[in-house]
Amino acid sequence: MSTATDTLDFLIIGAGPAGLSAADAAAREGLSYLVIEKGTIANTIRQYPVGRTMFSTPNELEMREGSLQPIREKPTREELLSHYIHFVLDHDLHITTGEEVIDVAGNYEDGFTVRTRCRSFDGKQNENNYHARSILFAIGAMEYPRHLDVPGEDLPKVYHRFVDPYPYVRKEVMVVGGGNSAAEAALFLSEEGARTTMAIWREDWENRDPKAGAMKHWVRSPLEKEIAEGRLRVILYKQIDEVTYDSVRLTTDEGESKTIPNDVVFVLVGSDADLTLLKKLGVKTELGKLTEVPVYDTETCETNVRGIYVAAPCASRAYRDKRRVALEFLLNKESLYGSIDCRRYCWLRSHVHPELSRVRDSICGHRTYSGFSAGSVSRFEQMDRDQLCDHFHHRNYRRSNLCGNR
Ligand SMILES: Cc1cc2nc3c(=O)[nH]c(=O)nc-3n(C[C@H](O)[C@H](O)[C@H](O)COP(=O)(O)OP(=O)(O)OC[C@H]3O[C@@H](n4cnc5c(N)ncnc54)[C@H](O)[C@@H]3O)c2cc1C
């Protein structure tokens, strides 16, 4: 086991878009930070279907305005992955990959200890300890794909993620689910020669209200074309009863039992975040529309446990909201500043805003905060207010937030 001796200002768990945005902001703030990622950079996006076009437009996804320039209107998985990876490389963000956070202990006053596990190239497992004053859980909401909990779901032919259609040409494939991921998978499979059946609940199939999570029209239209041309079959079902080596038995919407020949099943019915570490730290959770979510301050992203923050995507109430909040998070990075140590921010700002020194003093108990290097401090001191604001992108800073934060 190795133990880092320095205490980081800010440790970020997860290198998805939210974690990368946080790292970017922390770097710009001059904080000492580290992102710990158990998979790869933008691991969730790497697990999207190969060649998939994003639903979101570049301005909703890019790290800096104008920096993501896809060939078409919207980026593909590959373009987006490359964008995030090059952002990390170009800005030399501090990220370790292939390292999983397995425990977080401690408190804001004494600092947090983060325990991780990673596998080295010789196959040995190593454990590391890090210390940090604040932790941001940017862990997304994809950890646990939901299951149907039916007999046969543990067979090796049943998958809970869909990556590419090419192994399934002329195979009997069933996709279970009513959201965009299931619809897209069914479409890709059908277009690439799999004999595809989509099993969907009637209410999902008939839902045309985008606000209620209806399938995107640019997914639905080609899907309907595949159906009209006889390549894709849709079954409205009530429940899946059993998966066997060569079939799926289900009950249709009309109550009829059907056994359908089958080689492969994709169960794409959503996923949940892993809240184990947050709960162990004492973070309150509540029941959202679909699943359990952490409770947090929507202004600052801080939870009820001081120093523990959640990136909004894993904290919102439903999948649709998750995406909306994720995008807000990416678009409006201001919310992130709540997750950066307020005292340092006050201290810095008080150099150019005399009134802020009063805020700082009331917050920090008159302590002088000296976390920046002497070089940075003299550089900041030479900047006027606008330059400093530009430097830290705090033009939209609202004093009331700051005062309310601590
Ligand atoms: C098929 C599909 C298509 C989608 N399409 C879109 C779209 O078009 N537009 C859109 O806005 N959203 C889309 N989404 C949702 C999108 O993926 C999320 O909004 C986005 O990834 C959320 O970003 P995030 O950084 O919060 O979480 P994630 O991208 O999920 O990143 C979380 C990271 O944390 C890591 N992690 C988790 N636990 C630990 C741990 N204990 N230790 C270390 N690392 C950990 C994970 O490996 C992961 O890399 C789609 C999702 C799916 C499944």
Side-chain angles (χ1 to χ4, degrees):
M1 171 168 329
S2 88
T3 300
T5 46
D6 293 341
T7 297
L8 298 160
D9 289 319
F10 194 36
L11 190 142
I12 300 158
I13 309 175
L20 296 180
S21 300
D24 179 33
R28 291 202 217 184
E29 288 278 354
L31 301 183
S32 59
Y33 72 93
L34 178 67
V35 184
I36 300 183
E37 164 58 55
K38 67 177 177 176
T40 59
I41 294 166
N43 204 40
T44 299
I45 291 159
R46 194 173 57 81
Q47 292 176 52
Y48 289 177
V50 170
R52 172 182 186 267
T53 300
M54 298 296 295
F55 293 154
S56 316
T57 47
N59 63 320
E60 294 169 319
L61 300 163
E62 64 199 1
M63 294 295 289
R64 294 275 164 82
E65 202 182 333
S67 60
L68 174 58
Q69 294 182 337
I71 291 174
R72 301 215 176 104
E73 185 202 351
K74 293 178 179 177
T76 60
R77 161 194 183 264
E78 287 71 18
E79 285 173 321
L80 190 60
L81 265 178
S82 174
H83 172 72
Y84 289 135
I85 289 167
H86 283 281
F87 188 87
V88 169
L89 296 176
D90 294 347
H91 294 83
D92 198 18
L93 296 185
H94 305 166
I95 297 182
T96 74
T97 53
E99 184 165 3
E100 182 178 9
V101 172
I102 52 172
D103 193 31
V104 181
N107 55 49
Y108 182 79
E109 284 70 29
D110 303 327
F112 295 98
T113 300
V114 174
R115 193 152 61 90
T116 67
R117 186 185 296 143
C118 54
R119 196 179 286 278
S120 57
F121 285 114
D122 58 9
K124 285 190 192 133
Q125 277 212 0
N126 294 327
E127 287 200 358
N128 298 319
N129 277 335
Y130 299 89
H131 302 293
R133 295 196 320 119
S134 294
I135 313 279
L136 175 71
F137 281 78
I139 54 176
M142 305 289 167
E143 190 59 29
Y144 297 130
R146 288 191 201 125
H147 283 54
L148 300 169
D149 293 327
V150 297
E153 196 174 4
D154 54 350
L155 288 173
K157 70 172 202 172
V158 181
Y159 298 91
H160 296 84
R161 292 191 206 275
F162 170 74
V163 177
D164 76 304
Y166 306 109
Y168 311 109
V169 178
R170 291 189 176 148
K171 302 281 184 218
E172 297 291 339
V173 180
M174 177 175 284
V175 179
V176 183
N180 285 299
S181 296
E184 269 189 336
L187 181 61
F188 284 158
L189 285 157
S190 172
E191 284 178 343
E192 298 304 329
R195 297 185 189 117
T196 311
T197 301
M198 186 175 175
I200 182 169
W201 283 336
R202 179 181 290 279
E203 66 192 79
D204 286 336
W205 182 245
E206 290 177 355
N207 179 13
R208 301 296 166 113
D209 178 4
K211 289 195 191 120
M215 226 176 266
K216 302 279 182 201
H217 69 85
W218 58 84
V219 179
R220 188 168 193 120
S221 302
L223 197 74
E224 285 179 342
K225 189 163 167 257
E226 286 294 296
I227 297 165
E229 291 177 4
R231 285 188 291 272
L232 176 67
R233 175 160 71 142
V234 169
I235 291 192
L236 303 180
Y237 80 103
K238 197 179 282 170
Q239 65 182 50
I240 305 292
D241 298 307
E242 185 181 15
V243 180
T244 69
Y245 285 102
D246 60 1
S247 71
V248 175
R249 187 165 56 80
L250 55 74
T251 306
T252 67
D253 186 57
E254 273 96 29
E256 187 191 342
S257 178
K258 267 195 173 172
T259 300
I260 297 164
N262 176 270
D263 300 311
V264 184
V265 180
F266 291 96
V267 178
L268 304 174
V269 292
S271 57
D272 295 308
D274 181 355
L275 304 180
T276 318
L277 295 180
L278 285 167
K279 288 210 259 186
K280 187 182 154 264
L281 282 160
V283 171
K284 286 188 190 140
T285 60
E286 62 183 1
L287 206 55
K289 267 190 207 149
L290 296 174
T291 182
E292 190 180 13
V293 294
V295 178
Y296 66 103
D297 180 328
T298 50
E299 283 289 336
T300 64
C301 296
E302 191 172 22
T303 64
N304 60 300
V305 178
R306 195 172 176 199
I308 298 293
Y309 297 82
V310 289
C314 85
S316 57
R317 281 150 209 246
Y319 175 77
R320 203 176 55 257
D321 290 341
K322 270 173 206 142
R323 199 167 59 228
R324 183 177 60 73
V325 180
L327 298 183
E328 270 171 18
F329 193 75
L330 296 176
L331 276 172
N332 175 12
K333 298 199 177 82
E334 194 191 349
S335 61
L336 182 67
Y337 291 119
S339 64
I340 288 169
D341 190 305
C342 179
R343 288 185 302 166
R344 173 164 287 189
Y345 180 41
C346 275
W347 173 82
L348 175 73
R349 298 277 301 181
S350 66
H351 279 260
V352 280
H353 277 305
E355 82 273 17
L356 275 177
S357 55
R358 286 200 295 280
V359 180
R360 177 203 61 188
D361 288 347
S362 65
I363 292 169
C364 308
H366 299 270
R367 269 181 292 155
T368 307
Y369 195 76
S370 56
F372 285 102
S373 69
S376 302
V377 171
S378 60
R379 225 160 19 92
F380 298 148
E381 280 173 348
Q382 281 156 24
M383 291 180 185
D384 64 20
R385 180 179 177 283
D386 281 350
Q387 286 170 327
L388 198 64
C389 285
D390 270 352
H391 185 81
F392 289 101
H393 290 250
H394 280 155
R395 276 187 192 286
N396 298 329
Y397 161 72
R398 281 168 292 165
R399 190 170 181 272
S400 55
N401 283 356
L402 178 66
C403 297
N405 194 17
R406 290 259 192 271

